[in-house]
């Protein structure tokens, strides 16, 4: 049976700030992110299996990505917890804002690495994460490929 890749796309809104950056992105701002997740595997051959012919049910992939990424990051503000932004983050938290503290600079590049780890940990053994594309703007995105990692 052939190995097939399938892709599911997601959207979420997230704010962030890049501590120490020398441009506008040092300020708190947000993006309408588009996330594409591509996995690979062999379609189920057992004709009695409820998911016969599928690599993975798109709904199952959606559940994983929503629980690990979309539901967590949507309408949140992300800060690197190892910077003075921690003080701002704590103030926002006390005021009831949804803040995520990460141990990396919250760039698209670092976020795709984080997302790849989170998704990989949840995939069934027979399904492999092939690629992730995180689009920050219409013309800017970061990609992660399993073959390069």
């Amino acid at each position: 049976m052939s190995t097939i890749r399938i892709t599911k796309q997601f959207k979420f809104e997230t704010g962030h700030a890049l501590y120490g950056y020398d441009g506008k992105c040092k300020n708190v701002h947000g993006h309408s992110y588009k996330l594409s997740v591509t996995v690979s595997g062999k379609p189920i051959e057992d004709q009695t299996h409820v998911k016969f012919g599928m690599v993975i049910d798109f709904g199952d992939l959606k559940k994983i990505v929503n629980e690990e990424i979309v539901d967590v990051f949507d309408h949140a503000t992300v800060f690197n917890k190892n910077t003075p932004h921690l003080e701002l983050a704590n103030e926002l938290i006390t005021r009831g804002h949804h803040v995520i503290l990460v141990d990396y600079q919250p760039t698209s590049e670092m976020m795709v690495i984080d997302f790849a780890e989170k998704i990989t940990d949840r995939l069934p053994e027979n399904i492999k994460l092939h690629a992730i594309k995180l689009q920050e703007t219409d013309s800017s995105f970061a990609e992660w490929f399993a073959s390069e990692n």
Side-chain angles (χ1 to χ4, degrees):
M1 178 62 71
S2 297
T3 298
I4 304 296
R5 295 179 195 155
I6 65 166
T7 301
K8 181 87 177 137
Q9 297 178 321
F10 303 85
K11 294 180 181 181
F12 57 96
E13 311 290 329
T14 302
H16 69 154
L18 303 180
Y19 182 76
Y21 184 67
D22 63 353
K24 290 181 181 180
C25 292
K26 68 182 176 187
N27 299 306
V28 177
H29 64 287
H31 297 285
S32 296
Y33 287 99
K34 294 177 186 172
L35 176 67
S36 297
V37 177
T38 302
V39 298
S40 65
K42 297 186 183 309
I44 296 169
E45 294 180 334
D46 178 357
Q47 293 182 18
T48 64
H49 194 287
V50 68
K51 298 185 182 182
F52 169 61
M54 295 180 181
V55 171
I56 185 173
D57 188 322
F58 281 112
D60 293 341
L61 182 57
K62 179 180 178 181
K63 183 179 186 324
I64 291 168
V65 176
N66 279 342
E67 288 177 357
E68 293 297 326
I69 297 160
V70 177
D71 295 345
V72 176
F73 282 81
D74 190 38
H75 286 82
T77 304
V78 184
F79 293 109
N80 181 338
K81 69 182 177 184
N82 301 310
T83 70
H85 276 158
L86 182 60
E87 183 180 332
L88 174 58
N90 288 331
E91 176 65 25
L92 289 170
I93 291 167
T94 63
R95 294 176 181 263
H97 290 263
H98 180 39
V99 174
I100 298 172
L101 297 172
V102 296
D103 60 1
Y104 55 82
Q105 182 81 308
T107 60
S108 290
E109 295 89 337
M110 296 304 293
M111 290 170 71
V112 291
I113 294 169
D114 182 30
F115 294 175
E117 291 173 4
K118 287 174 169 38
I119 294 167
T120 298
D121 288 347
R122 292 280 306 274
L123 288 174
E125 273 186 33
N126 61 321
I127 306 299
K128 301 297 179 211
L129 182 60
H130 173 74
I132 297 177
K133 177 180 177 180
L134 182 63
Q135 192 165 341
E136 188 175 273
T137 68
D138 285 340
S139 61
S140 303
F141 56 87
E143 293 180 295
W144 178 97
F145 291 95
S147 62
E148 298 174 355
N149 289 283

